[in-house]
Short mmCIF file of all heavy atoms in Angstrom, two decimals:
data_model
loop_
_atom_site.label_atom_id
_atom_site.label_comp_id
_atom_site.label_asym_id
_atom_site.label_seq_id
_atom_site.Cartn_x
_atom_site.Cartn_y
_atom_site.Cartn_z
N ILE A 1 -81.27 -83.83 -49.25
CA ILE A 1 -82.72 -83.66 -49.22
C ILE A 1 -83.31 -83.36 -50.66
O ILE A 1 -84.40 -83.37 -50.94
CB ILE A 1 -83.13 -82.52 -48.31
CG1 ILE A 1 -82.48 -81.20 -48.71
CG2 ILE A 1 -82.81 -82.89 -46.80
CD1 ILE A 1 -82.95 -80.03 -47.92
N ASP A 2 -82.36 -83.07 -51.55
CA ASP A 2 -82.69 -82.94 -52.96
C ASP A 2 -81.37 -83.08 -53.78
O ASP A 2 -80.29 -82.73 -53.22
CB ASP A 2 -83.37 -81.58 -53.24
CG ASP A 2 -84.29 -81.62 -54.44
OD1 ASP A 2 -84.07 -82.53 -55.34
OD2 ASP A 2 -85.10 -80.77 -54.57
N SER A 3 -81.43 -83.41 -55.09
CA SER A 3 -80.34 -83.61 -55.86
C SER A 3 -80.58 -83.43 -57.35
O SER A 3 -81.79 -83.44 -57.76
CB SER A 3 -79.65 -84.96 -55.60
OG SER A 3 -80.54 -86.02 -56.03
N TYR A 4 -79.56 -83.23 -58.09
CA TYR A 4 -79.67 -83.10 -59.56
C TYR A 4 -78.39 -83.69 -60.21
O TYR A 4 -77.29 -83.47 -59.78
CB TYR A 4 -79.65 -81.55 -59.84
CG TYR A 4 -79.60 -81.29 -61.33
CD1 TYR A 4 -80.80 -81.12 -62.06
CD2 TYR A 4 -78.42 -81.04 -62.04
CE1 TYR A 4 -80.74 -80.82 -63.38
CE2 TYR A 4 -78.35 -80.74 -63.38
CZ TYR A 4 -79.56 -80.66 -64.07
OH TYR A 4 -79.53 -80.33 -65.39
N ILE A 5 -78.66 -84.52 -61.26
CA ILE A 5 -77.56 -85.16 -61.92
C ILE A 5 -77.22 -84.36 -63.18
O ILE A 5 -78.05 -84.01 -63.99
CB ILE A 5 -77.91 -86.56 -62.38
CG1 ILE A 5 -78.22 -87.54 -61.14
CG2 ILE A 5 -76.78 -87.28 -63.13
CD1 ILE A 5 -77.04 -87.66 -60.17
N THR A 6 -75.92 -83.95 -63.33
CA THR A 6 -75.46 -83.15 -64.44
C THR A 6 -75.33 -83.97 -65.68
O THR A 6 -75.40 -85.19 -65.66
CB THR A 6 -74.14 -82.51 -64.07
OG1 THR A 6 -73.07 -83.51 -64.18
CG2 THR A 6 -74.18 -81.89 -62.71
N LYS A 7 -75.08 -83.26 -66.77
CA LYS A 7 -75.02 -83.95 -68.06
C LYS A 7 -73.75 -84.87 -68.16
O LYS A 7 -73.75 -85.71 -69.13
CB LYS A 7 -74.99 -82.92 -69.20
CG LYS A 7 -73.80 -82.02 -69.25
CD LYS A 7 -73.89 -81.09 -70.41
CE LYS A 7 -72.65 -80.29 -70.71
NZ LYS A 7 -72.81 -79.37 -71.84
N ILE A 8 -72.73 -84.72 -67.35
CA ILE A 8 -71.65 -85.66 -67.35
C ILE A 8 -71.76 -86.71 -66.26
O ILE A 8 -70.79 -87.49 -66.04
CB ILE A 8 -70.25 -84.95 -67.22
CG1 ILE A 8 -70.07 -84.22 -65.87
CG2 ILE A 8 -70.08 -83.99 -68.41
CD1 ILE A 8 -68.70 -83.75 -65.60
N GLY A 9 -72.89 -86.71 -65.60
CA GLY A 9 -73.21 -87.83 -64.63
C GLY A 9 -72.79 -87.57 -63.21
O GLY A 9 -72.95 -88.40 -62.37
N THR A 10 -72.23 -86.35 -62.92
CA THR A 10 -71.89 -85.95 -61.51
C THR A 10 -73.19 -85.44 -60.85
O THR A 10 -74.20 -85.25 -61.49
CB THR A 10 -70.79 -84.98 -61.56
OG1 THR A 10 -71.10 -83.82 -62.36
CG2 THR A 10 -69.51 -85.56 -62.06
N VAL A 11 -73.00 -85.08 -59.56
CA VAL A 11 -74.18 -84.81 -58.79
C VAL A 11 -74.10 -83.44 -58.13
O VAL A 11 -73.03 -83.11 -57.62
CB VAL A 11 -74.56 -85.86 -57.76
CG1 VAL A 11 -73.44 -86.01 -56.71
CG2 VAL A 11 -75.87 -85.67 -57.06
N CYS A 12 -75.22 -82.68 -58.12
CA CYS A 12 -75.37 -81.56 -57.23
C CYS A 12 -76.40 -81.92 -56.19
O CYS A 12 -77.40 -82.63 -56.52
CB CYS A 12 -75.91 -80.29 -57.97
SG CYS A 12 -74.86 -79.82 -59.36
N TYR A 13 -76.26 -81.49 -54.97
CA TYR A 13 -77.23 -81.91 -53.95
C TYR A 13 -77.23 -80.86 -52.81
O TYR A 13 -76.38 -80.06 -52.73
CB TYR A 13 -76.86 -83.30 -53.38
CG TYR A 13 -75.51 -83.38 -52.70
CD1 TYR A 13 -75.49 -83.16 -51.35
CD2 TYR A 13 -74.35 -83.66 -53.41
CE1 TYR A 13 -74.19 -83.27 -50.60
CE2 TYR A 13 -73.14 -83.73 -52.77
CZ TYR A 13 -73.04 -83.52 -51.41
OH TYR A 13 -71.82 -83.65 -50.70
N THR A 14 -78.29 -80.89 -52.07
CA THR A 14 -78.45 -79.99 -50.86
C THR A 14 -78.66 -80.89 -49.62
O THR A 14 -79.36 -81.96 -49.64
CB THR A 14 -79.69 -79.18 -51.04
OG1 THR A 14 -79.64 -78.39 -52.24
CG2 THR A 14 -79.89 -78.17 -49.87
N VAL A 15 -77.97 -80.52 -48.56
CA VAL A 15 -78.09 -81.16 -47.29
C VAL A 15 -78.48 -80.19 -46.19
O VAL A 15 -78.17 -79.01 -46.22
CB VAL A 15 -76.72 -81.87 -46.88
CG1 VAL A 15 -76.42 -83.03 -47.72
CG2 VAL A 15 -75.57 -80.86 -46.90
N GLN A 16 -79.23 -80.74 -45.28
CA GLN A 16 -79.70 -79.96 -44.12
C GLN A 16 -78.80 -80.24 -42.88
O GLN A 16 -78.52 -81.37 -42.53
CB GLN A 16 -81.18 -80.45 -43.81
CG GLN A 16 -81.82 -79.66 -42.65
CD GLN A 16 -82.41 -78.35 -43.15
OE1 GLN A 16 -82.93 -78.23 -44.24
NE2 GLN A 16 -82.43 -77.30 -42.32
N LEU A 17 -78.33 -79.11 -42.33
CA LEU A 17 -77.50 -79.23 -41.10
C LEU A 17 -78.24 -78.57 -40.03
O LEU A 17 -78.42 -77.31 -40.00
CB LEU A 17 -76.12 -78.57 -41.34
CG LEU A 17 -75.25 -79.06 -42.42
CD1 LEU A 17 -73.94 -78.23 -42.54
CD2 LEU A 17 -74.99 -80.52 -42.37
N GLY A 18 -78.73 -79.34 -38.96
CA GLY A 18 -79.53 -78.77 -37.95
C GLY A 18 -80.80 -78.26 -38.54
O GLY A 18 -81.25 -78.70 -39.55
N ASN A 19 -81.44 -77.39 -37.71
CA ASN A 19 -82.81 -76.89 -38.20
C ASN A 19 -82.75 -75.78 -39.16
O ASN A 19 -83.74 -75.58 -39.91
CB ASN A 19 -83.64 -76.52 -36.94
CG ASN A 19 -83.87 -77.70 -36.07
OD1 ASN A 19 -84.08 -78.82 -36.51
ND2 ASN A 19 -83.83 -77.47 -34.69
N ARG A 20 -81.70 -74.99 -39.16
CA ARG A 20 -81.82 -73.66 -39.81
C ARG A 20 -80.64 -73.42 -40.87
O ARG A 20 -80.53 -72.32 -41.33
CB ARG A 20 -81.73 -72.52 -38.82
CG ARG A 20 -82.93 -72.53 -37.75
CD ARG A 20 -84.23 -72.32 -38.41
NE ARG A 20 -84.45 -70.97 -38.99
CZ ARG A 20 -84.70 -69.92 -38.22
NH1 ARG A 20 -85.00 -70.01 -36.93
NH2 ARG A 20 -84.85 -68.77 -38.87
N VAL A 21 -79.89 -74.45 -41.13
CA VAL A 21 -78.75 -74.26 -41.99
C VAL A 21 -78.69 -75.34 -43.08
O VAL A 21 -78.93 -76.55 -42.83
CB VAL A 21 -77.35 -74.28 -41.28
CG1 VAL A 21 -76.22 -74.14 -42.16
CG2 VAL A 21 -77.30 -73.30 -40.11
N ARG A 22 -78.53 -74.93 -44.33
CA ARG A 22 -78.44 -75.88 -45.46
C ARG A 22 -77.17 -75.55 -46.25
O ARG A 22 -76.71 -74.36 -46.25
CB ARG A 22 -79.65 -75.76 -46.41
CG ARG A 22 -80.89 -76.44 -45.84
CD ARG A 22 -82.08 -76.31 -46.78
NE ARG A 22 -83.27 -76.66 -46.09
CZ ARG A 22 -84.53 -76.44 -46.57
NH1 ARG A 22 -84.69 -75.82 -47.67
NH2 ARG A 22 -85.55 -76.86 -45.82
N VAL A 23 -76.67 -76.55 -46.88
CA VAL A 23 -75.48 -76.40 -47.78
C VAL A 23 -75.86 -76.98 -49.06
O VAL A 23 -76.29 -78.14 -49.26
CB VAL A 23 -74.20 -77.05 -47.22
CG1 VAL A 23 -73.06 -76.83 -48.16
CG2 VAL A 23 -73.81 -76.49 -45.86
N MET A 24 -75.66 -76.15 -50.13
CA MET A 24 -75.99 -76.55 -51.53
C MET A 24 -74.63 -76.88 -52.21
O MET A 24 -73.77 -76.05 -52.35
CB MET A 24 -76.72 -75.37 -52.33
CG MET A 24 -77.09 -75.78 -53.64
SD MET A 24 -78.07 -74.45 -54.50
CE MET A 24 -76.95 -73.01 -54.38
N CYS A 25 -74.51 -78.13 -52.54
CA CYS A 25 -73.20 -78.69 -53.03
C CYS A 25 -73.32 -78.77 -54.53
O CYS A 25 -74.04 -79.69 -55.08
CB CYS A 25 -72.91 -80.03 -52.39
SG CYS A 25 -73.01 -80.04 -50.58
N LEU A 26 -72.64 -77.96 -55.29
CA LEU A 26 -72.70 -77.88 -56.71
C LEU A 26 -71.50 -78.51 -57.45
O LEU A 26 -70.36 -78.24 -57.03
CB LEU A 26 -72.86 -76.45 -57.18
CG LEU A 26 -74.09 -75.70 -56.49
CD1 LEU A 26 -74.08 -74.20 -56.93
CD2 LEU A 26 -75.39 -76.36 -56.90
N ASN A 27 -71.76 -79.15 -58.56
CA ASN A 27 -70.71 -79.73 -59.41
C ASN A 27 -70.80 -78.98 -60.72
O ASN A 27 -71.73 -79.09 -61.44
CB ASN A 27 -70.88 -81.22 -59.58
CG ASN A 27 -69.62 -81.80 -60.12
OD1 ASN A 27 -69.08 -81.34 -61.12
ND2 ASN A 27 -69.09 -82.84 -59.44
N ASP A 28 -69.80 -78.16 -60.93
CA ASP A 28 -69.79 -77.27 -62.14
C ASP A 28 -68.90 -77.81 -63.27
O ASP A 28 -68.69 -77.09 -64.28
CB ASP A 28 -69.32 -75.85 -61.72
CG ASP A 28 -68.01 -75.81 -61.08
OD1 ASP A 28 -67.11 -76.72 -61.39
OD2 ASP A 28 -67.79 -74.92 -60.33
N ASP A 29 -68.42 -78.96 -63.20
CA ASP A 29 -67.47 -79.51 -64.23
C ASP A 29 -68.06 -79.61 -65.60
O ASP A 29 -69.06 -80.24 -65.84
CB ASP A 29 -67.03 -80.94 -63.92
CG ASP A 29 -66.11 -81.00 -62.72
OD1 ASP A 29 -65.60 -79.92 -62.30
OD2 ASP A 29 -65.75 -82.14 -62.26
N LYS A 30 -67.52 -78.90 -66.58
CA LYS A 30 -67.87 -78.91 -67.98
C LYS A 30 -69.36 -79.02 -68.16
O LYS A 30 -69.94 -79.74 -68.96
CB LYS A 30 -67.21 -80.14 -68.64
CG LYS A 30 -65.69 -80.07 -68.61
CD LYS A 30 -65.04 -81.18 -69.40
CE LYS A 30 -63.56 -81.09 -69.48
NZ LYS A 30 -63.07 -79.91 -70.21
N ASN A 31 -70.08 -78.23 -67.33
CA ASN A 31 -71.56 -78.28 -67.23
C ASN A 31 -72.17 -77.20 -68.09
O ASN A 31 -73.35 -77.03 -68.13
CB ASN A 31 -72.04 -78.08 -65.83
CG ASN A 31 -73.34 -78.65 -65.46
OD1 ASN A 31 -73.95 -79.20 -66.40
ND2 ASN A 31 -73.81 -78.59 -64.24
#
C-alpha cells in the first residue's frame, strides 16, 4: 500500500492484512 526505494535499490514496503493489521517490511542493508 506504500513503498520506499533505498539508496542501494532495495525496497521497504507496507502491506495490509485484513482490516486492522499492517506489516511494515524494512530493508536495512547498508542503508
Side-chain angles (χ1 to χ4, degrees):
I1 59 173
D2 206 340
S3 63
Y4 174 90
I5 298 298
T6 73
K7 67 179 185 180
I8 64 168
T10 53
V11 63
C12 302
Y13 63 93
T14 303
V15 290
Q16 183 84 32
L17 303 180
N19 295 324
R20 303 294 296 276
V21 180
R22 287 179 191 167
V23 180
M24 180 173 61
C25 307
L26 303 177
N27 197 305
D28 56 29
D29 286 353
K30 296 186 180 294
N31 204 359

